[in-house]
């Protein structure tokens, strides 16, 4: 009892420090272990912290401005659905408040080290603050099985293995498309869409005419000049959102400038972050090559480091009004998109990356993604609400059920929940076969993309 309390207190202390404080400390220690020396390790660690501070400031600007505009649009359309999207911060809070969290954080970390040692994964996940995405499936299984902790832990570890393997598989895209060598993204609610998105892209490659449409950053710049620059795209999309939300002219123009700022500043903050990460990443590769010849390791980070990609941001901003419209016209959907509309840049990452930045296909595939998210949110709304009640979450006024876009992006969680119930086992088995089949069918596609990138 006292041991668990001490573990929980230690975990909470680390989490309370935040990524911008704790990650530099971790990276300094990691650099020293890798033999980088104190000066180099210290400079890298602090630079990483500064990069995260800058990145979070830009994401905060994005969340505040887009979130407010989206809420104005929802109000102007008079949309009313009975499951409220309470946002990822609430998802993280109720997950960390469950009895499982304190023991699962060290378990996941140790499990990651064991997988690395036996070369079952190449990803070393240092993004401890986003462990909640790995714990959330376990928490949902815990309450779905009448507090069966053993089954919840097993479900968590199964989900973690899948996410790490997906992160390994997609790491070449992170390097060659997003320009972040030595980095992987074990971000549960984003990377589990990769097999689905690569499958859609593969099918679209075979559709006549459709497969010839290419609208990416390069073609936009070539055909539109300054109007194709990221800052102009951000300005125009911001003004569009303001107009749809019936903002005043002054407020609409302000939103346009804010979105232009996001489009310009986000890549610069990521660049600063990478300036600090590069020496650590190179040191890790050299260390692994000496100790374990022929092996490599990726540093697992928050997907926030890639959302600033211009094509990704363009698709995400277009998806704000589209998502709101989808919530109304989709049959069966009961979730009102709200707090998490600002995290759409995370949701669409692999819809865009799988198409190598083709905004046209990325938008089509993002719409398909959101349809799936709405159905998962509606299907799991009752269980998510149960989790919220169990940890005494203060529900928003008038809300009877809660969920969220972010919480409903966990495809692997949905499959696990279907598999553990005798009533839905067949559905879960079919979903598992389809999901695994898509992954197997597209498993070599990233290798082909990598070869193509290396030749360009």
């Amino acid at each position: 009892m006292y041991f668990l309390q001490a573990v929980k207190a230690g975990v909470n202390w680390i989490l309370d420090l935040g990524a911008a404080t704790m990650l530099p400390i971790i990276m300094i220690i990691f650099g020293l272990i890798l033999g980088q020396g104190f000066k180099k390790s210290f400079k890298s660690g602090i630079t990483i912290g500064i990069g995260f501070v800058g990145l979070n400031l830009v994401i905060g600007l994005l969340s505040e401005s887009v979130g407010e505009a989206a809420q104005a649009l929802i109000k102007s359309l008079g949309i009313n659905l009975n499951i409220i999207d309470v946002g990822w911060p609430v998802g993280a809070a109720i997950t960390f408040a469950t009895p499982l969290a304190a023991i699962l954080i060290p378990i996941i970390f140790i499990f990651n080290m064991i997988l690395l040692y036996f070369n079952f994964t190449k990803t070393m996940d240092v993004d401890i603050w986003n462990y909640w995405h790995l714990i959330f499936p376990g928490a949902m299984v815990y309450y779905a099985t009448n507090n069966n902790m053993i089954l919840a832990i097993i479900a968590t570890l199964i989900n973690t293995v899948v996410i790490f393997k997906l992160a390994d598989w997609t790491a070449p895209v992170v390097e060659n498309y997003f320009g972040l060598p030595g980095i992987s993204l074990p971000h549960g609610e984003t990377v589990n869409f990769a097999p689905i998105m690569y499958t859609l892209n593969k099918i679209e490659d075979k559709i006549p005419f459709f497969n010839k449409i290419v609208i990416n950053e390069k073609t936009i710049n070539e055909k539109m000049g300054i109007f194709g620059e990221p800052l102009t795209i951000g300005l125009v999309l911001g003004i569009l959102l303001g107009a749809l939300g019936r903002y005043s002219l002054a407020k609409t123009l302000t939103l346009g400038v804010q979105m232009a700022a996001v489009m310009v500043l986000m890549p610069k903050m990521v660049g600063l972050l990478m300036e600090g990460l590069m020496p650590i990443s190179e040191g890790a590769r050299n260390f692994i090559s000496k100790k374990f010849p022929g092996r490599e390791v990726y540093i697992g980070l928050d997907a926030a480091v890639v959302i600033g990609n211009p094509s990704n941001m363009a698709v995400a901003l277009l998806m704000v009004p589209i998502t709101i419209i989808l919530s109304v016209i989709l049959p069966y959907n009961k979730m009102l998109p709200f707090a998490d509309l600002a995290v759409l840049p995370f949701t669409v990452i692999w819809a865009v990356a799988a198409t190598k930045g083709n905004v046209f296909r990325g938008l089509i595939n993002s719409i398909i993604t959101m349809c799936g998210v709405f159905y998962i949110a509606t299907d799991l709304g009752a269980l998510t609400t149960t989790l919220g009640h169990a940890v005494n979450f203060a529900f928003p006024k008038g809300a009877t059920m809660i969920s969220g876009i972010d919480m409903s992006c966990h495809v692997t969680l949905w499959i696990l929940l279907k598999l553990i119930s005798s009533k839905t086992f067949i559905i879960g088995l079919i979903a598992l076969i389809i999901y695994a089949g898509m992954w197997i069918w597209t498993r070599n596609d990233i290798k082909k993309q990598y070869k193509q990138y290396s030749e360009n």
Side-chain angles (χ1 to χ4, degrees), residues 297-346:
V297 64
Y298 304 125
I299 297 174
L301 292 177
D302 187 335
V305 299
V306 301
I307 67 170
N309 175 271
S311 295
N312 190 77
M313 286 302 303
V315 170
L317 292 175
L318 287 169
M319 280 300 296
V320 173
I322 291 173
T323 298
I324 295 170
I325 294 169
L326 280 175
S327 71
V328 178
I329 66 175
L330 272 180
Y332 180 67
N333 173 57
K334 295 180 182 178
M335 186 178 76
L336 173 68
F338 194 66
D340 263 347
L341 283 166
V343 304
L344 286 174
F346 292 84

Side-chain angles (χ1 to χ4, degrees), residues 41 56 186:
S41 300
N56 287 331

Side-chain angles (χ1 to χ4, degrees), residues 162-226:
V162 173
I163 297 304
F164 285 167
K165 297 301 288 185
L166 285 168
D168 292 345
W169 177 53
T170 54
V173 183
V174 178
E175 176 175 355
N176 294 285
Y177 174 64
F178 290 113
L180 304 176
I183 303 300
S184 68
L185 308 176
H187 215 218
E189 88 290 11
T190 59
V191 75
N192 59 189
F193 278 115
I196 302 171
M197 294 301 104
Y198 273 92
T199 295
L200 288 174
N201 190 59
K202 198 163 188 171
I203 293 171
E204 289 159 355
D205 278 339
K206 302 177 186 301
I207 302 175
F209 180 70
F210 190 97
N211 58 12
K212 302 296 182 184
I213 303 175
V214 179
I215 303 173
N216 55 29
E217 185 182 2
K218 183 179 179 181
T219 57
I220 291 173
N221 285 337
E222 288 176 351
K223 294 181 179 180
M224 298 183 66
I226 191 173

Side-chain angles (χ1 to χ4, degrees), residues 172-452:
V173 183
V174 178
E175 176 175 355
N176 294 285
Y177 174 64
F178 290 113
L180 304 176
I183 303 300
S184 68
L185 308 176
H187 215 218
E189 88 290 11
T190 59
V191 75
N192 59 189
F193 278 115
I196 302 171
M197 294 301 104
Y198 273 92
T199 295
L200 288 174
N201 190 59
K202 198 163 188 171
I203 293 171
E204 289 159 355
D205 278 339
K206 302 177 186 301
I207 302 175
F209 180 70
F210 190 97
N211 58 12
K212 302 296 182 184
I213 303 175
V214 179
I215 303 173
N216 55 29
E217 185 182 2
K218 183 179 179 181
T219 57
I220 291 173
N221 285 337
E222 288 176 351
K223 294 181 179 180
M224 298 183 66
I226 191 173
F227 295 102
E229 294 286 338
L231 63 91
T232 311
I233 293 172
L235 178 68
V236 171
L237 292 177
I239 290 173
L240 175 64
L241 280 177
L244 290 172
R246 297 183 182 180
Y247 275 10
S248 65
L249 177 60
K251 204 169 181 180
T252 299
L253 293 174
T254 299
L255 181 59
V257 174
Q258 288 174 332
M259 290 304 96
V262 168
M263 295 287 278
V264 172
L265 292 175
M266 190 83 77
K268 293 185 184 298
M269 294 303 101
V270 173
L272 185 59
L273 181 68
M274 283 309 301
E275 183 183 328
L277 278 170
M278 282 304 296
I280 301 293
S281 179
E282 290 172 5
R285 289 187 175 187
N286 292 335
F287 181 85
I288 293 296
S289 64
K290 289 179 181 178
K291 300 291 183 180
F292 306 98
R295 287 172 56 176
E296 59 183 335
V297 64
Y298 304 125
I299 297 174
L301 292 177
D302 187 335
V305 299
V306 301
I307 67 170
N309 175 271
S311 295
N312 190 77
M313 286 302 303
V315 170
L317 292 175
L318 287 169
M319 280 300 296
V320 173
I322 291 173
T323 298
I324 295 170
I325 294 169
L326 280 175
S327 71
V328 178
I329 66 175
L330 272 180
Y332 180 67
N333 173 57
K334 295 180 182 178
M335 186 178 76
L336 173 68
F338 194 66
D340 263 347
L341 283 166
V343 304
L344 286 174
F346 292 84
T347 309
V348 306
I349 287 170
W350 290 104
V352 177
T355 67
K356 294 181 284 187
N358 188 334
V359 173
F360 174 74
R361 284 198 201 183
L363 187 61
I364 299 298
N365 295 345
S366 294
I367 292 172
I368 295 171
T369 298
M370 282 310 305
C371 290
V373 169
F374 277 126
Y375 286 131
I376 291 175
T378 300
D379 192 35
L380 302 185
L383 181 57
T384 309
T385 302
T386 298
L387 195 157
H389 281 305
V391 299
N392 298 315
F393 167 67
F395 279 54
K397 186 177 180 181
T400 56
M401 298 180 72
I402 62 169
S403 190
I405 291 175
D406 187 291
M407 287 184 277
S408 304
C409 284
H410 293 80
V411 178
T412 49
L413 160 62
W414 184 82
I415 295 173
L416 281 169
L417 286 170
K418 296 303 174 187
L419 287 171
I420 63 173
S421 171
S422 59
K423 295 179 180 179
T424 58
F425 176 78
I426 297 300
I427 295 173
L429 183 61
I430 293 170
L432 176 62
I433 292 170
I434 293 173
Y435 188 79
M438 288 189 292
W439 194 351
I440 292 169
W441 191 42
T442 60
R443 69 188 184 281
N444 292 320
D445 288 13
I446 289 176
K447 292 180 181 178
K448 293 176 183 176
Q449 282 190 345
Y450 178 79
K451 182 179 179 182
Q452 185 176 359

Side-chain angles (χ1 to χ4, degrees), residues 1-269:
M1 186 69 177
Y2 290 112
F3 174 73
L4 287 178
Q5 290 177 346
V7 170
K8 186 174 183 179
V11 167
N12 287 337
W13 184 82
I14 292 173
L15 293 174
D16 289 343
L17 285 175
T21 302
M22 198 61 198
L23 190 57
I25 296 173
I26 293 173
M27 287 303 184
I28 290 171
I29 295 171
F30 189 41
L32 291 172
I33 293 172
L34 296 174
Q36 297 291 88
F38 179 76
K39 181 179 178 181
K40 198 171 184 179
S41 300
F42 179 80
K43 185 177 180 181
S44 293
I46 300 302
T47 302
I48 290 168
I50 293 169
F52 258 101
V53 169
L55 191 60
N56 287 331
L57 286 173
V58 179
I59 292 174
L61 172 62
L62 174 69
S63 299
E64 182 180 349
S65 51
V66 170
E68 185 181 343
Q71 290 168 23
L73 178 55
I74 290 170
K75 186 177 180 180
S76 69
L77 293 174
I79 302 172
N80 186 24
L81 298 165
N82 65 346
I83 300 178
I84 304 299
D85 168 13
V86 292
W88 74 264
V90 170
I94 62 178
T95 299
F96 282 135
T98 61
L100 287 168
I103 59 172
L104 277 178
I105 289 177
I107 285 174
I108 290 171
F109 182 81
I110 294 169
F111 186 55
N112 189 186
M113 296 303 106
I114 293 171
L115 293 176
L116 278 168
Y117 180 80
F118 288 104
N119 200 28
F120 197 76
T121 184
K122 299 176 183 178
T123 293
M124 185 181 70
D125 189 0
V126 299
D127 187 24
I128 296 171
W129 300 268
N130 273 309
Y131 270 23
W132 84 264
H133 289 295
L134 300 175
I135 298 169
F136 179 66
M140 292 284 275
V141 169
Y142 179 74
Y143 289 104
T145 57
N146 296 316
N147 304 349
N148 188 325
M149 186 168 289
I150 299 300
L151 191 57
I153 292 173
I154 292 171
T156 300
L157 297 182
I158 291 172
N159 178 72
T160 298
V161 169
V162 173
I163 297 304
F164 285 167
K165 297 301 288 185
L166 285 168
D168 292 345
W169 177 53
T170 54
V173 183
V174 178
E175 176 175 355
N176 294 285
Y177 174 64
F178 290 113
L180 304 176
I183 303 300
S184 68
L185 308 176
H187 215 218
E189 88 290 11
T190 59
V191 75
N192 59 189
F193 278 115
I196 302 171
M197 294 301 104
Y198 273 92
T199 295
L200 288 174
N201 190 59
K202 198 163 188 171
I203 293 171
E204 289 159 355
D205 278 339
K206 302 177 186 301
I207 302 175
F209 180 70
F210 190 97
N211 58 12
K212 302 296 182 184
I213 303 175
V214 179
I215 303 173
N216 55 29
E217 185 182 2
K218 183 179 179 181
T219 57
I220 291 173
N221 285 337
E222 288 176 351
K223 294 181 179 180
M224 298 183 66
I226 191 173
F227 295 102
E229 294 286 338
L231 63 91
T232 311
I233 293 172
L235 178 68
V236 171
L237 292 177
I239 290 173
L240 175 64
L241 280 177
L244 290 172
R246 297 183 182 180
Y247 275 10
S248 65
L249 177 60
K251 204 169 181 180
T252 299
L253 293 174
T254 299
L255 181 59
V257 174
Q258 288 174 332
M259 290 304 96
V262 168
M263 295 287 278
V264 172
L265 292 175
M266 190 83 77
K268 293 185 184 298
M269 294 303 101

